[in-house]
């Protein structure tokens, strides 16, 4: 063997180690000039997921029970600059409902009833002390229809439609526990909208429910409803207060005042004949 032959593998091995170390250092040095990659952001919960509070879950459960509640009940309706009125409400087992609202149309001068049956959605004119009319009803839509803004008395919504919104976890609502409304019972909740750009699907305010799903109070834009007395069992179905006729539903706005009486021109007196 030639002198130095045995040392060449060791030299190659040593040289390989130096080159490897240099390469690692170069890679590390080049990487240090680039910004560190951002960590994968943790997805934030959506507004709906973030608002699954105990209060919202409790309200959703009570509102679900309200949709299965069949009863006849009276409510006291209080509103600014109006005398308190008594609203009658019936929700029947067949899905029909009826709400009688004193002063519910024509700027408070006409009593009306709104109802849903298997035949459609109706508004009915009711006789009152100030408006002696025969009770008649006008069909305004299909059973799943809605009242137009101009003839919607609104009072029926907390009783028959907004409970569905309160059970919808996708609705942009915030729910917190609230102090009981005077005269209500059960649990009360303050409901607010979480979206400033969208119209809330219901009136924000305070809603109170008994454990069985009975609405015992609601303070909303049009006034305050408070359960008066104990509900009773509902009939199998609701009946309309009068026959269905062709025509237009009563509007909510006050009717225009009657025109002033036209002055009758006085005649020119005849001259008195001279003697």
């Amino acid at each position: 063997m030639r002198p130095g032959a045995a040392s060449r593998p060791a030299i190659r091995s040593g040289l390989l180690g130096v080159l490897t170390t240099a390469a690692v250092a170069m890679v590390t040095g080049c990487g240090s000039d680039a910004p560190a990659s951002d960590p994968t952001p943790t997805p934030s919960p959506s507004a709906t997921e973030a608002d699954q509070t105990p209060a919202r879950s409790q309200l959703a459960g009570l509102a679900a029970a309200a949709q299965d509640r069949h009863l006849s009940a009276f409510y006291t309706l209080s509103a600014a600059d109006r005398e308190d009125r008594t609203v009658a409400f019936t929700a029947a087992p067949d899905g029909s409902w009826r709400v009688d609202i004193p002063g519910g149309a024509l700027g408070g001068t006409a009593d009306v009833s709104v109802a849903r049956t298997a035949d459609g959605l109706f508004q009915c004119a009711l006789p009152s002390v100030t408006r002696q009319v025969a009770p008649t009803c006008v069909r305004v839509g299909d059973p799943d229809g809605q009242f137009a803004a101009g003839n919607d008395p609104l009072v029926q919504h907390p009783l028959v439609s907004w409970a569905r919104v309160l059970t919808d976890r996708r609705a942009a609502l915030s729910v917190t526990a609230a102090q009981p409304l005077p005269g209500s019972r059960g649990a009360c909740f303050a409901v607010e909208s979480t979206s400033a750009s969208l119209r809330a699907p219901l009136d924000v305010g305070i809603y109170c429910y008994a454990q069985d799903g009975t609405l015992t109070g609601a303070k909303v834009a049009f006034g305050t409803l408070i359960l008066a007395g104990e509900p009773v069992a509902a009939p199998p179905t609701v009946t309309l207060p009068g026959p269905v006729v062709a025509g237009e539903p009563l509007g909510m706005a006050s009717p225009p005042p009657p025109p002033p009486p036209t002055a009758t021109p006085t005649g020119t007196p005849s001259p008195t004949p001279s003697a």
Side-chain angles (χ1 to χ4, degrees):
M1 179 180 297
R2 292 179 296 171
S7 62
R8 288 176 183 173
I11 293 173
R12 294 194 186 98
S13 177
L15 181 59
L16 181 60
V18 171
L19 293 174
T20 302
T21 303
V24 172
M26 291 176 63
V27 172
T28 305
C30 293
S32 62
D33 294 334
S37 59
D38 294 333
T40 303
T42 303
S44 59
S46 66
T48 301
E49 294 170 343
D51 194 37
Q52 299 311 306
T53 60
R56 182 157 191 178
S57 296
Q58 183 183 4
L59 177 57
L62 293 172
Q67 297 179 70
D68 296 328
R69 191 83 169 89
H70 308 133
L71 53 80
S72 292
F74 293 101
Y75 287 83
T76 300
L77 172 59
S78 303
D81 302 324
R82 296 285 300 272
E83 293 184 358
D84 288 356
R85 293 165 282 165
T86 299
V87 172
F89 169 54
T90 296
D94 67 345
S96 61
W97 54 260
R98 172 177 160 180
V99 183
D100 294 354
I101 310 164
L106 298 181
T109 62
D111 296 354
V112 293
S113 178
V114 290
R116 184 186 72 186
T117 70
D119 296 324
L121 188 67
F122 299 89
Q123 188 210 75
C124 305
L126 302 176
S128 65
V129 174
T130 59
R131 195 167 180 269
Q132 296 295 328
V133 296
T136 56
C137 299
V138 175
R139 188 180 187 274
V140 298
D142 295 331
D144 59 350
Q146 297 183 4
F147 291 96
N151 53 50
D152 188 350
L154 303 176
V155 178
Q156 75 278 4
H157 290 300
L159 299 167
V160 298
S161 59
W162 287 345
R164 290 194 298 273
V165 180
L166 295 175
T167 62
D168 185 357
R169 304 302 180 90
R170 298 167 299 176
L173 301 174
S174 172
V175 178
T176 56
Q179 292 296 319
L181 294 174
S184 69
R185 56 186 173 86
C188 294
F189 305 87
V191 179
E192 299 288 342
S193 175
T194 58
S195 175
S197 61
L198 298 176
R199 183 180 180 274
L202 80 174
D203 277 4
V204 298
I206 297 176
Y207 295 81
C208 304
Y209 286 94
Q211 193 62 37
D212 61 2
T214 301
L215 180 77
T216 65
K219 185 176 182 179
V220 290
F222 63 77
T224 300
L225 282 170
I226 297 295
L227 180 67
E230 288 296 322
V232 298
T237 189
V238 302
T239 57
L240 299 178
V244 179
V245 299
E248 295 295 325
L250 298 177
M252 298 298 104
S254 299
T262 303
T264 304
T266 56
T268 303
S270 302
T272 302
S274 58

